[in-house]
């Protein structure tokens, strides 16, 4: 199986520092698709402690809003049916 991948709407957004975008990851198995949504604003890997830490000065994590839809799972994108015209 393949690893989870970011959805198109957060692919080229700064989900760690723009204080607006949630990280959305999608994946599929044999019968279902799944989208995981996480607020990772302000968090970064800290090499000294080998863990994540909050980079915001006041320690407050901004609220973000995410819209999850079936088309976030890339294999479920609508593909137009081929119709023959005569």
């Amino acid at each position: 199986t393949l690893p989870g991948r970011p959805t198109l709407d957060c692919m080229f957004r700064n989900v760690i520092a723009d204080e607006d975008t949630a990280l959305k990851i999608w994946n599929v198995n044999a019968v279902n698709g799944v989208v995981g949504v996480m607020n990772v604003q302000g968090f970064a890997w800290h090499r000294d402690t080998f863990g994540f830490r909050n980079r915001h000065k006041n320690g407050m994590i901004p609220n973000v809003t995410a819209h999850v839809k079936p088309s976030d799972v890339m294999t479920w994108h609508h593909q137009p049916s081929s119709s023959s015209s005569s």
Side-chain angles (χ1 to χ4, degrees):
T1 63
L2 295 172
R5 290 147 290 207
T7 59
L8 288 178
D9 57 344
C10 71
M11 178 86 66
F12 297 106
R13 304 285 302 268
N14 188 347
V15 298
I16 295 175
D18 70 3
E19 297 188 2
D20 184 50
T21 308
L23 174 62
K24 296 191 316 185
I25 304 291
W26 69 273
N27 206 341
V28 294
N29 61 24
V31 294
N32 290 314
V34 64
V35 178
V37 183
M38 294 144 280
N39 181 359
V40 295
Q41 290 293 325
F43 285 90
W45 184 256
H46 192 269
R47 291 181 183 167
D48 296 335
T49 62
F50 296 103
F52 288 98
R53 74 172 179 176
N54 186 348
R55 297 183 315 162
H56 286 285
K57 293 176 184 136
N58 61 4
M60 298 295 294
I61 300 167
N63 292 327
V64 296
T65 302
H67 301 280
V68 180
K69 52 199 175 298
S71 61
D72 285 337
V73 178
M74 293 295 294
T75 58
W76 290 354
H77 277 268
H78 175 72
Q79 295 177 356
S81 58
S82 59
S83 59
S84 58
S85 353
S86 16

